[in-house]
Amino acid sequence: MAVIIPGDWRASEVLGGNARVIETLALFARGLPASLTVFHGVHWTRVERGLASIGEIDFVVLAPSGHLLLIEQKTGFLEESPDGLLMRHAGRKKLVRVEVDRTVDALRRRLGPALQGAAVPEIGYLLHCPDYHVREPGSAGMDPARIVDASAPDTLCQRVITALGADAGSNGPADDPLIANRLHRFFANELELVPDASAMVGRAEAIVTRLSGGLATWARRLDADPFRLRVLGTAGSGKTQLALALLQDAARDGREARYICFNRPLADHLARVAPAGTSVQTYHQWCEQRLRAAGATIDFRSAGAFADLVSRAQALAATESDRVDLLVVDEGQDIEPGWREDMFDKVGRAGARGRIVWLEDPMQNLYDREPFEPDGWITLSTPSNYRSPRRLARFLTRLHDMAHAGRESVIAESPFVGERIELFGYADTEGLADASKRAITAALRAGFRRQDIALLSFAGRERSRLLSLDTLGPHALRRFTGQYDLFGSPRYSDGDLVLETVYRFKGQSAPCVIFTEVEFETLDARARRKLFVGASRASMRLFVVASQACVPALESLLDDD
């Protein structure tokens, strides 16, 4: 097992340190021999002609002989160009090869004085890009043998050992204890020991799930009689995790639970992960279930089928089978006032009042429903957004503050900085399709798979010009056809790229969102809410395809860097 310095690196994961670095250190601890020492978080400063030059390196591996191997870890997505691999830094693209060469050169210069005249040992390097598969290693601008990418993540330790050669083994005749000791002191003194949350990269979904799980932990510790809890939570605050945790608690304790939301896609998604036997439905599905249990027939193909469904179901007398011990209402801002009383009336059994948890986000009120202002309820407000990378969260914050001046703003809690939001403008319908295709191409080039991408329309289904299409360029679209089968299940077209409206995709998320057909006359409250909902669906990257007339207003909300 290699020696890792600092030695308390395992605790960093618990404390929210750089998760991707922790994963790599765990690989080194398991896979490198005890003769090697790994320093992480190393930096140095060199002053030359009155100018300070800061150098950074993710890992330095020190062999007993004094030979060094620098490992640059570039997480996230890179870009391949004719000149080599490119990375984004401070809003600009830089050649990875040039950055590595500068780092090696800066280290050689810095080591000269530290070794007090002794020869600077051999310095090798590896580029580790665990999230990116280099498609053309020969044109990356670097020796392919020096690149460990996502296609062979398990070979990192062996590549380190191979790069160091015989020096990776036990002490040999080339060892210079004095030089090795000076190198050890140099790197130990140059460590960056203060964790930088903004540098956290890696498995966004796993980390965000862990961070946003706090709401599910402490909200379930509340108690009251009757238990009536209203949670005002911004996008990405952990509302869905709280809902799942409550349903799991009920299933474990043998209590009947019901989850009701507005959107069918969200209900279908949650039904797949909820405990077996739990009732997970939209309000309309629940109405349908009650009517069928009463022996009524339903024709979803008739005009006004859903309004008729609601009125008939609400006229039914409550039965014991309708009642539950726990009701969780999600997307509360979309629930009509008349539905609330119908749901609340069927919570609790004989001798027990039952528990109700209401989850909502006022910024996602796309239907202009009357706000729910209950008396005597516990209200929790959680403005923390863990899902959206910080750059995207700042965009969401500006939208929120414009719509709700004076209210508590969105707080960016994600450990990821993220990429800039990329805009694609269009002038007409033909330009809309072309710009959308270019955005899809950009997302694919950034490394996202089709199943990672959600194409969301700012327009509703009736007004959308894209939702009538089966394909967009070479991409087959999976979209809701607007039709239902005899059992009320929505019909979808065949395709591998999801196309939905912003209305139907509420409550869900995707690593990459392409928000298209963005058109508004003025950036009023309704337009801001729709932008907020669509943008907050992205957990890693957002592309926006907007009318040229809207581009200036959107650009004013974006970061300048």
Side-chain angles (χ1 to χ4, degrees):
M1 177 176 176
V3 177
I4 309 293
I5 298 177
D8 60 347
W9 57 276
R10 295 183 189 277
S12 299
E13 183 175 26
V14 178
L15 298 174
N18 191 325
R20 203 54 149 183
V21 169
I22 298 302
E23 292 173 4
T24 303
L25 288 173
L27 284 176
F28 289 156
R30 294 192 304 267
L32 294 182
S35 59
L36 299 180
T37 301
V38 180
F39 299 88
H40 59 99
V42 179
H43 75 291
W44 54 86
T45 304
R46 174 173 55 85
V47 178
E48 183 174 293
R49 296 179 183 177
L51 300 175
S53 174
I54 306 296
E56 296 180 339
I57 196 72
D58 296 298
F59 309 97
V60 175
V61 183
L62 173 62
S65 64
H67 286 183
L68 298 167
L69 181 68
L70 309 187
I71 303 174
E72 279 272 8
Q73 179 163 288
K74 299 300 181 186
T75 49
F77 304 104
L78 303 176
E79 181 178 334
E80 297 185 49
S81 75
D83 297 321
L85 285 175
L86 294 171
M87 65 176 182
R88 282 188 178 272
H89 182 72
R92 294 183 298 173
K93 294 180 180 179
K94 296 186 177 182
L95 281 169
V96 173
R97 169 180 50 80
V98 173
E99 293 300 304
V100 170
D101 288 344
R102 286 176 177 171
T103 297
V104 173
D105 179 65
L107 179 57
R108 285 197 182 101
R109 292 171 180 265
R110 186 67 178 83
L111 283 176
L115 295 178
Q116 302 174 18
V120 175
E122 179 181 343
I123 302 176
Y125 71 87
L126 284 178
L127 172 65
H128 183 216
C129 39
D131 301 322
Y132 186 80
H133 182 187
V134 180
R135 296 173 176 81
E136 299 291 339
S139 61
M142 306 176 70
D143 181 356
R146 298 288 180 176
I147 301 174
V148 182
D149 66 4
S151 66
D154 297 331
T155 66
L156 178 61
C157 289
Q158 185 56 51
R159 298 285 282 279
V160 170
I161 295 171
T162 300
L164 289 171
D167 295 330
S170 58
N171 294 348
D175 293 347
D176 186 334
L178 180 60
I179 295 299
N181 185 51
R182 287 175 179 171
L183 288 170
H184 192 285
R185 288 205 312 269
F186 170 82
F187 288 113
N189 290 335
E190 295 293 328
L191 290 174
E192 173 61 77
L193 298 178
V194 179
D196 179 6
S198 68
M200 290 184 66
V201 287
R203 298 184 202 168
E205 183 176 354
I207 294 172
V208 168
T209 297
R210 175 163 57 85
L211 292 175
S212 61
L215 176 61
T217 298
W218 49 263
R220 287 152 60 214
R221 295 176 179 170
L222 297 171
D223 199 10
D225 187 19
F227 189 90
R228 301 290 184 266
L229 174 62
R230 179 189 183 211
V231 178
L232 301 175
T234 192
S237 61
K239 297 189 299 297
T240 299
Q241 286 177 261
L242 171 58
L244 279 173
L246 290 166
L247 298 177
Q248 289 164 356
D249 289 346
R252 181 198 61 213
D253 298 337
R255 293 181 286 117
E256 292 286 334
R258 176 178 297 128
Y259 170 97
I260 291 183
C261 63
F262 181 80
N263 271 335
R264 177 64 181 268
L266 175 58
D268 292 343
H269 166 71
L270 206 81
R272 291 191 290 268
V273 295
T278 302
S279 174
V280 177
Q281 301 163 306
T282 65
Y283 178 72
H284 291 105
Q285 284 179 297
W286 183 51
C287 289
E288 176 195 355
Q289 175 185 302
R290 291 154 58 198
L291 282 172
R292 291 193 185 279
T297 58
I298 306 163
D299 183 3
F300 285 98
R301 294 169 296 184
S302 64
F306 286 95
D308 180 62
L309 179 77
V310 169
S311 62
R312 291 167 63 195
Q314 290 182 353
L316 294 172
T319 66
E320 189 62 22
S321 62
D322 291 331
R323 300 191 176 279
V324 289
D325 303 299
L326 168 69
L327 171 66
V328 179
V329 181
D330 205 350
E331 301 182 297
Q333 72 281 345
D334 296 331
I335 300 298
E336 292 188 4
W339 302 356
R340 289 197 297 258
E341 296 307 317
D342 185 39
M343 292 186 292
F344 294 169
D345 182 55
K346 297 169 182 63
V347 176
R349 300 177 182 278
R353 293 192 246 198
R355 301 161 69 89
I356 302 175
V357 178
W358 178 277
L359 310 173
E360 68 172 288
D361 179 5
M363 266 302 287
Q364 298 189 56
N365 183 2
L366 297 186
Y367 300 97
D368 295 320
R369 305 289 197 220
E370 176 186 319
F372 179 40
E373 300 289 350
D375 292 328
W377 286 47
I378 302 170
T379 298
L380 289 179
S381 178
T382 172
S384 296
N385 180 325
Y386 299 97
R387 178 198 301 145
S388 306
R390 288 177 177 270
R391 277 199 177 106
L392 177 52
R394 288 195 289 269
F395 176 68
L396 298 176
T397 297
R398 291 166 189 144
L399 289 171
H400 177 278
D401 291 351
M402 290 173 68
H404 298 287
R407 293 189 187 178
E408 191 171 22
S409 185
V410 174
I411 300 175
E413 297 283 11
S414 170
F416 311 109
V417 176
E419 300 289 338
R420 295 188 66 189
I421 299 171
E422 196 166 341
L423 290 175
F424 296 82
Y426 63 88
D428 51 29
T429 299
E430 183 178 347
L432 164 64
D434 180 66
S436 298
K437 287 184 286 187
R438 286 190 286 117
I440 295 170
T441 300
L444 293 172
R445 284 179 177 170
F448 292 102
R449 301 166 299 173
R450 284 179 174 81
Q451 57 264 40
D452 298 327
I453 301 170
L455 191 65
L456 303 185
S457 172
F458 187 87
R461 194 177 65 83
E462 299 299 327
R463 297 179 55 202
S464 172
R465 286 163 284 179
L466 297 181
L467 281 164
S468 61
L469 304 177
D470 293 322
T471 61
L472 193 56
H475 311 290
L477 302 175
R478 175 175 170 77
R479 57 178 177 77
F480 172 49
T481 63
Q483 299 177 335
Y484 297 84
D485 62 21
L486 292 175
F487 301 99
S489 298
R491 295 182 183 273
Y492 292 89
S493 62
D494 294 329
D496 53 6
L497 184 63
V498 170
L499 171 61
E500 277 283 17
T501 69
V502 65
Y503 298 92
R504 283 178 50 86
F505 205 71
K506 287 169 69 279
Q508 300 179 80
S509 65
C512 177
V513 166
I514 299 173
F515 200 8
T516 188
E517 293 194 277
V518 175
E519 299 179 13
F520 48 82
E521 293 184 5
T522 60
L523 193 55
D524 57 15
R526 181 171 178 76
R528 290 192 293 267
R529 288 198 301 268
K530 290 177 69 174
L531 285 169
F532 184 95
V533 172
S536 62
R537 301 307 95 199
S539 62
M540 295 186 70
R541 190 75 184 269
L542 174 66
F543 299 88
V544 178
V545 181
S547 165
Q548 290 287 5
C550 301
V551 168
L554 294 172
E555 287 179 332
S556 69
L557 296 170
L558 302 182
D559 285 342
D560 296 328
D561 61 355

